Amino acid sequence: MIAEAGLAALYLAAALALMQLAVSLVPALAPQAAQVARPLALAQGLLTAAAFACLIVLFVRTDLSVALVAANSHSAKPLLYRFAGTWGNHEGSMLLWVTVLALSGALLAVASRGIPERMLGATLGAQAALALGFYAFLLLASNPFARLDPAPVEGQGLNPLLQDPGLAFHPPTLYLGYVGLSVAFSLAVGALITRDVGPVLARAMRPWVLGSWVFLTVGIAAGSYWAYYELGWGGWWFWDPVENASLMPWLAATALLHSVSVLAARGGLRTWTMMLAVVAFSMSMVGTFLVRSGILTSVHAFAVDPTRGGFILALLLIYVGGALALFAWRAPAVGEGARFALVSREGALVLNNLLLSVILAVVFLGTLYPLMVEAATGEKLSVGPPYFDAVVGPLALLLMLLLVVGPLLRWRRHEAPLTKWVAPSLLAGVATLAATIILAPDISLLSRLGLVLGVALVPASLMPLAGRSLRRTPLATWGMAIAHLGVAVSVIGMASDSAFSRERLAAARPGEQLAVGPWLVAFNSVTPVAGPNWTAIEAELAVTQGGSERVLKPQARTFTSPVTETSEVAIATAWNGQLYTVLGRQSGQRWQLRLWWKPFVTLIWLGAGLIALGGLVSLIGRGWTNRRTRRRLAEAEL
Amino acid sequence: MSFKPKHQRLVLALSALVALIGAALLAMWGLKDRAAYFVTPSDIAAGKVAAGEPLRLGGMVASGSLRQLGDGVTLRFVVTDGKHQTVTSFRGIPPSLFKEGSGVVAEGRLKDGTFVADNILAKHDERYMPPQLGNEVATHAAERTVAQ
């Protein structure tokens, strides 16, 4: 019954989306479209949420008469993973996608004060068109509620590597980011249709972009940390197509975030912002296509199914093509933006946008190149870290250089010299350069420049707060400072990890002592242990750095259903970095142990956390100012 | 220097165009040298691969070829794509899903005819196989089963 109820809710939601699209398409209805579309969007959101809730119930109960549950779950699985298993598969994750899409449409319909009615009507129409494509995809090609008859006695389980709290909540976070960008897209389409591109649109769009960007940042950082501790090879970024799939929308959203600010504050960069809004959501769709079609050589390739890939590709072409056509048609009619000089805050933001777009383009081309070559010549190849490091590394450093100066420039035209403001950064950078040359002459150029620019950016990112009353500084400025500081912290962590990591690989007997970096590791014992659905061999390592002792227990696990082996690393986190330990195989009387000392590697994720926090602070700040402005306007009218 | 609105638009559009062309050129430059990053034992046998270049080698671990060396941490095995074989060495702890007869992707360099891997890629799924090899290896495995 629950499965049928879920399916019915999904059909109903699709029908409502069709109505929602229809009202925005009838010219006679256009002025009132928003009034009709509002309740439709709300009902549609609630119905998809109900359908998703049905699927969760089926998974939590392990209802094996549903094909999807039987293929991806198992009754012996811990509750958390039965729950998270709902979206740990193709159909479930697509249902999650459409649920988030419909709920953001509903939120837009309910909480959209300040958007002109006609623009809102057109926007909700665009949102409905997006949702319809995904409903069709689910109902025609990937029905999550399909029954299996006869029901099997036991399910096939969930890939043990996915049984991890970090990964359980990683996809929903990313989806909130991906799909939040759909609202920016729909708003851009709505504004282009009603020829109303201006600060009002930008102020409506900005919270969605900021919110999506925060979720994307958190999602990417969580994914990176998951790969780091779960896959056992100590790396935190891979340039895998699936990682690029989340990086590309983030890059576009970062550019959009900055240009939408110019539009909101200064009325400039109008067509530019519209273009970025289209590109950002297109990248979300490209990401979905890459992950869900399994079309690229990827160690992550989850779902290999050409029909589904084809479906998403078709949706991608329709939406992106349609939006670009609309853009080309209406862009000349978009009003002129405010003027600004080359050397100005706007100028720096344009340069920021250009650099981010170039990075996005080289990542995009590198990710899709194998696909293009295969289509053209039939030859199969893959593009990996050597390409991405070589082209993205220098561009990212250039972006950081801009980050030192950009926020200090004035809007419209900057004339005063910046010497006083840049001096601390210059000093910090030069000191770091000298220190790394003397203390670590052998590190790579990219790591060295990363350290120098990272350290230089620390004072620079705090400069916009200098000389102001901190209590009266707008939260948005705080947000910017925190996010930029986060970039500095992250880059220092990346450079430090690649420059200073130490590794010790040994075949050791229990009782032996090993040293790596500043750590002393005593290999005490190896014992068998058992968990809910796995058994493992566990090593006990007593680790010390300086004084106090800690015990680490890396494991080699064997899961029972399906039979899979995984290695569970154990990590000791100290203020100055992490000791990362992996237990390998037995060879004779000895056990393989891999020990890594990774100085300041934690800064990578701490920095990402700061970036997300900066976004959050800005988001709260914007909400605050908007409310205050509205209240003041209301008072003025009285 | 301040532009007239019309000129400002033009300058913006032109700089966007220049940036994108620059990106395309940069990508082409990068891809020219580094795109043949994924290789198979056949590519190595055909002499397509220069020694010392960073590469990703994909194939199957040949049955019966896996050996643990005396130091306890170095593995030696043969990667095969059904037609050719490459002797590979790896110092480290391989991912749990690494075993004889299953697919492998190793990162490293070719040195004196041996592929020296510094990383063996972990996989999400035990059924994973590099698509480059999918058909060839599957056919090969089927033939062998029939022969037995």
Side-chain angles (χ1 to χ4, degrees), chain A residues 10 16 58 70 125 133 192 231 303 382 405 438 456 484-485 491-492 569 571:
Chain A
L10 215 52
L16 293 184
L58 293 172
L192 283 170
L231 297 181
S382 82
V405 191
I438 296 165
H484 288 178
L485 182 66
V491 170
I492 293 172
V569 308
I571 298 175

Side-chain angles (χ1 to χ4, degrees), chain A residues 331-625:
Chain A
V334 173
E336 300 287 357
R339 270 193 283 170
F340 57 86
L342 258 187
V343 180
S344 64
R345 181 80 74 86
E346 287 98 326
L349 285 168
V350 167
L351 201 55
N352 143 311
N353 271 227
L354 286 175
L355 276 170
L356 282 167
S357 307
V358 170
I359 295 177
L360 175 59
V362 294
V363 173
F364 181 81
L365 289 171
T367 309
L368 292 173
Y369 183 71
L371 210 62
M372 299 188 268
V373 169
E374 197 187 334
T377 66
E379 197 186 336
K380 291 177 176 176
L381 48 81
S382 82
V383 178
Y387 163 79
F388 291 105
D389 287 346
V391 295
V392 176
L395 288 169
L397 291 180
L398 218 58
L399 197 59
M400 287 191 67
L401 202 60
L402 180 68
L403 212 51
V404 171
V405 191
L408 296 172
L409 298 175
R410 285 178 189 282
W411 291 107
R412 290 204 55 208
R413 169 192 293 270
H414 188 93
E415 275 157 349
L418 286 173
T419 338
K420 184 176 120 198
W421 302 100
V422 178
S425 296
L426 208 60
L427 210 65
V430 171
T432 313
L433 183 64
T436 58
I437 289 175
I438 296 165
L439 299 174
D442 301 326
I443 63 175
S444 75
L445 182 65
L446 207 60
S447 308
R448 196 187 304 278
L449 287 176
L451 284 172
V452 168
L453 282 170
V455 173
L457 186 55
V458 171
S461 53
L462 298 175
M463 269 314 154
L465 298 175
R468 307 177 70 139
S469 150
L470 291 187
R471 280 195 49 214
R472 293 179 61 186
T473 303
L475 279 181
T477 310
W478 275 100
M480 173 183 81
I482 296 170
H484 288 178
L485 182 66
V487 174
V489 169
S490 234
V491 170
I492 293 172
M494 293 172 193
S496 167
D497 177 53
S498 70
F500 306 125
S501 279
R502 292 281 168 273
E503 186 197 347
R504 178 78 192 266
L505 181 67
R509 286 190 177 79
E512 275 184 48
Q513 289 228 341
L514 303 160
V516 56
W519 293 83
L520 205 60
V521 177
F523 180 20
N524 289 343
S525 62
V526 180
T527 43
V529 289
N533 55 347
W534 48 264
T535 57
I537 297 293
E538 185 177 271
E540 189 186 293
L541 308 172
V543 303
T544 49
Q545 180 193 204
S548 63
E549 185 181 281
R550 269 187 271 183
V551 175
L552 293 183
K553 295 181 170 174
Q555 295 177 338
R557 273 190 198 171
T558 307
F559 282 81
T560 42
S561 180
V563 178
T564 317
E565 291 164 18
T566 68
S567 84
E568 296 293 308
V569 308
I571 298 175
T573 306
W575 67 274
N576 58 349
Q578 289 187 325
L579 176 69
Y580 184 106
T581 65
V582 189
L583 174 66
R585 304 177 174 201
Q586 188 169 17
S587 70
Q589 295 286 305
R590 299 179 297 175
W591 296 84
Q592 295 176 337
L593 279 177
R594 186 166 213 167
L595 311 171
W596 261 296
W597 165 232
K598 296 177 156 290
F600 297 109
V601 70
T602 26
L603 293 186
I604 297 173
W605 304 288
L606 181 70
L610 282 173
I611 295 174
L613 177 69
L616 198 63
V617 167
S618 291
L619 190 61
I620 293 169
R622 294 295 174 200
W624 205 295
T625 343

Side-chain angles (χ1 to χ4, degrees), chain B residues 8 12 33 49 52-53 58-59 74 88-90 94 109 113 122 128 143 147:
Chain B
Q8 178 168 310
L12 282 179
D33 295 340
V49 175
E53 286 280 307
T74 307
T88 306
S89 81
F90 171 66
R109 284 152 222 271
Y128 171 77
E143 280 165 7

Side-chain angles (χ1 to χ4, degrees), chain A residues 159 161 226 231 233 238 269 271-272 297-300 302 331-332 334-336 338-342 350 354 358 361-362 365-366 369 380-387 390-391 395 413 505-507 562 564-567 582-585 587 590 592-594, chain B residues 1-6 8-9 12-13 15-16 19-20 22-24 26-27 29-31 34-38 54 56 66 68 70-74 90-99 105 107 118-119 121-126 128 130-132 135:
Chain A
N159 187 338
L161 279 175
W226 172 81
L231 297 181
W233 57 282
F238 206 72
L269 301 186
T271 38
W272 191 286
T297 307
S298 162
V299 286
H300 296 255
F302 295 108
V334 173
E336 300 287 357
R339 270 193 283 170
F340 57 86
L342 258 187
V350 167
L354 286 175
V358 170
V362 294
L365 289 171
Y369 183 71
K380 291 177 176 176
L381 48 81
S382 82
V383 178
Y387 163 79
V391 295
L395 288 169
R413 169 192 293 270
L505 181 67
T564 317
E565 291 164 18
T566 68
S567 84
V582 189
L583 174 66
R585 304 177 174 201
S587 70
R590 299 179 297 175
Q592 295 176 337
L593 279 177
R594 186 166 213 167
Chain B
M1 174 169 67
S2 192
F3 301 107
K4 281 189 182 130
K6 213 172 217 164
Q8 178 168 310
R9 252 191 168 185
L12 282 179
S15 41
L20 286 181
L26 192 64
W29 164 78
L31 288 167
R34 299 173 182 85
Y37 177 58
F38 187 99
R56 211 173 259 179
L66 188 60
Q68 175 90 63
D71 65 355
V73 289
T74 307
F90 171 66
R91 206 175 160 273
I93 298 173
S96 320
L97 295 170
F98 173 81
K99 50 182 166 259
V105 176
E107 282 183 337
D118 31 47
N119 196 13
L121 300 187
K123 295 157 291 182
H124 275 187
D125 194 318
E126 70 280 9
Y128 171 77
Q132 278 92 338
N135 299 331

